[in-house]
């Protein structure tokens, strides 16, 4: 279902978290649960993957993760402040130790000159360790290419957060 690179990243992440008794939560918008899915297809993932939030709409980001409506209105869903709040909200609304949040424009439409298709914001948070943000601009002929590149980046960031 997933490319070998993503399967390998997911397997390594699960092993490293398992060794440290850490649980993961995801907060996904443009990837629509693919990060949780990549982890969930690995046998034994249930002892590490605590839960996943698919928060495609702004309302879902607010209701499920506590992202303030004024923050969404001021910065837009595809922004650093929203990604950070999503990561923080995922931790607060779970019993996980590490979170990853992804929000972006996977295309083919929806891009703007300021946030073109392929713009994806990421944030990882770890209990008592702070939040790390990254932004990438992925190229891909298809929506799934951008989404899979975002999944690989999210898994890599989670490993770095350990």
């Amino acid at each position: 279902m997933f490319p070998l690179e993503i399967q390998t990243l997911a397997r390594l992440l699960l092993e490293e978290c398992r060794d440290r008794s850490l649980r993961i939560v995801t907060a996904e918008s443009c990837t629509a649960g693919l990060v949780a899915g990549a982890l969930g297809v690995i046998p034994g993932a249930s002892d590490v993957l605590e839960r996943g939030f698919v928060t495609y709409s702004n309302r879902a980001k607010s209701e499920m993760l506590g992202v303030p409506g004024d923050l969404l209105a001021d910065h837009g869903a595809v922004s650093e402040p929203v990604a950070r709040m999503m990561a923080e909200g995922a931790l607060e609304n779970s019993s996980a130790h590490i979170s990853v949040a992804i929000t972006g424009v996977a295309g083919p439409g929806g891009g703007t000159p300021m946030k073109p298709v392929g713009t994806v914001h990421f944030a990882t948070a770890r209990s008592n360790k702070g939040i790390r943000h990254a932004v990438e601009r992925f190229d891909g002929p298809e929506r799934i290419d951008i989404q899979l590149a975002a999944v690989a980046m999210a898994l890599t960031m989670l490993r770095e957060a350990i």
Side-chain angles (χ1 to χ4, degrees):
M1 178 184 315
F2 291 96
L4 182 59
E5 173 196 11
I6 288 175
Q7 292 177 48
T8 301
L9 287 169
R11 191 175 312 280
L12 290 170
L13 174 62
L14 290 170
E15 289 171 5
E16 291 168 4
C17 285
R18 193 173 292 115
D19 289 346
R20 294 167 177 80
S21 299
L22 298 173
R23 290 184 310 279
I24 294 171
V25 60
T26 65
E28 303 180 63
S29 187
C30 67
T31 50
L34 289 173
V35 175
L39 294 168
V41 298
I42 307 295
S46 61
D47 61 344
V48 173
L49 180 60
E50 201 272 339
R51 71 181 70 184
F53 295 96
V54 177
T55 56
Y56 230 72
S57 71
N58 286 349
R59 182 176 177 178
K61 288 173 182 66
S62 292
E63 289 177 359
M64 297 172 75
L65 302 173
V67 178
D70 58 343
L71 187 73
L72 288 158
D74 292 347
H75 298 278
V78 180
S79 64
E80 178 178 349
V82 169
R84 287 176 174 274
M85 285 296 301
M86 289 172 65
E88 189 174 304
L91 274 184
E92 290 174 1
N93 290 286
S94 71
S95 61
H97 305 99
I98 304 171
S99 69
V100 66
I102 305 108
T103 183
V105 185
T112 67
M114 295 288 289
K115 297 175 187 176
V117 170
T119 303
V120 182
H121 286 267
F122 302 86
T124 54
R126 184 165 174 189
S127 302
N128 303 317
K129 300 275 184 169
I131 301 170
R132 179 176 172 245
H133 168 264
V135 63
E136 293 289 333
R137 291 204 170 73
F138 299 113
D139 290 322
E142 303 292 330
R143 176 180 181 84
I144 191 66
D145 297 314
I146 292 168
Q147 290 174 314
L148 289 175
V151 170
M153 176 71 174
L155 294 170
T156 299
M157 286 183 68
L158 281 166
R159 287 188 69 207
E160 292 168 356
I162 294 173

